[in-house]
Amino acid sequence: MSPLPPFRQVALCLLTVGVLLRQAQPFLWQAYGPERLGYPLALLVGFLLPLLAALVLPYAAYEWFARRHRSRPASFLVRDGGFDAPVSALAGRRIIMFGLLAFAVPVTESGDHGRQLLTDHLMLPLGVLLLLVGGTMVAGALRPGPVVRLTPDHLILGGWRRTLVRWDAVARGDALPPAPGDTTFYVREIQPGRVRWHNLPVDLSHVDTAFLIAAVHHYTFHPEHRPAVGTETELQRLRQVCGTTDESQVIA
């Protein structure tokens, strides 16, 4: 298992808190509305504070939790005969952001006998649309396993459906050396009768972007080093080749 904190699980818990606070806001407005507190105070207590707490509290708590892991090391995890790039804290931020988007519309409305399930002809389809869009993005951020995995034979892109790209199928002409500040990197896979493009999700990995891109570039052009992938000795050699020998950079 990754020695990193469970970013996604913590994000889900905080998202649940945010959603509950958001759905509780209409009930607070009903309990502490203008009839009871006067409009200015009711607006603060029954609307602004609960809404602000629902939006800000999950992010603030998550940032506090993940603050020690903002720096991404120039190294991989050595595991099961391969190099793993584990999921970064960004996945948790996306879960909270898209989750709050999915549940932004309250599920209840005022009725003749208090709160009732939402029936508004405008808000109901909007809520369904947000739920579908946000829920899909949350599911993508929850994808299990490492974001990227390097093995002697394959470059593996993690997700609900893993994508395996054979090193020999990577088009060398597209595997350019990394440039400073690169945040995206595409791999072109040449197969008989077709060409497939794959996005390397460097922003979601807890590995330095330049190092990850350089490693893919290195094994694309140096097949003689691929059999050693997944060993500590090869990782040390790769880190030297890719420009870092600082032991403090190793994921631990």
Side-chain angles (χ1 to χ4, degrees):
M1 297 182 64
S2 172
L4 292 173
F7 292 126
R8 290 172 290 194
Q9 292 89 328
V10 171
L12 276 177
C13 294
L14 293 173
L15 170 62
T16 302
V17 172
V19 170
L20 291 176
L21 288 172
R22 178 69 185 98
Q23 298 303 326
Q25 182 272 318
F27 293 93
L28 292 174
W29 177 258
Q30 185 174 12
Y32 301 99
E35 299 83 3
R36 183 171 181 179
L37 299 178
Y39 189 78
L41 187 56
L43 182 64
L44 178 65
V45 174
F47 183 77
L48 293 179
L49 287 180
L51 186 60
L52 190 63
L55 297 176
V56 174
L57 182 61
Y59 281 110
Y62 184 78
E63 289 302 320
W64 177 85
F65 173 78
R67 70 191 185 285
R68 295 191 305 166
H69 301 278
R70 292 176 181 174
S71 178
R72 296 186 295 176
S75 186
F76 293 112
L77 290 174
V78 179
R79 185 166 52 189
D80 299 330
F83 294 152
D84 286 0
V87 176
S88 73
L90 181 59
R93 297 188 188 99
R94 290 188 175 185
I95 289 171
I96 295 174
M97 178 176 65
F98 295 135
L100 290 176
L101 171 68
F103 296 99
V105 177
V107 297
T108 61
E109 62 184 1
S110 298
D112 297 334
H113 304 287
R115 304 299 301 182
Q116 63 182 27
L117 292 178
L118 190 66
T119 59
D120 186 274
H121 295 301
L122 176 62
M123 299 299 290
L124 186 59
L126 176 61
V128 172
L129 177 62
L130 290 176
L131 181 61
L132 291 175
V133 174
T136 300
M137 293 179 175
V138 167
L142 281 171
R143 52 188 175 184
V147 176
V148 179
R149 177 171 170 81
L150 282 63
T151 71
D153 299 319
H154 296 91
L155 170 65
I156 303 175
L157 307 180
W160 294 106
R161 181 180 179 183
R162 295 195 310 169
T163 300
L164 279 70
V165 182
R166 292 191 60 85
W167 288 113
D168 292 336
V170 176
R172 293 191 175 188
D174 299 320
L176 300 176
D182 272 350
T183 57
T184 57
F185 186 68
Y186 294 92
V187 173
R188 188 163 63 112
E189 180 186 8
I190 306 297
Q191 296 182 349
R194 67 171 179 170
V195 176
R196 299 177 63 189
W197 287 89
H198 305 285
N199 177 30
L200 199 66
V202 293
D203 56 337
L204 282 174
S205 71
H206 194 70
V207 171
D208 178 74
T209 296
F211 178 81
L212 178 55
I213 296 175
V216 173
H217 177 264
H218 179 76
Y219 290 121
T220 298
F221 282 88
H222 295 279
E224 68 275 12
H225 295 303
R226 296 174 194 164
V229 170
T231 64
E232 291 286 354
T233 302
E234 173 61 13
L235 179 60
Q236 294 300 324
R237 188 201 65 81
L238 178 66
R239 296 179 67 240
Q240 292 176 359
V241 169
C242 294
T244 177
T245 58
D246 181 6
E247 291 297 328
S248 67
Q249 291 291 315
V250 178
I251 299 176

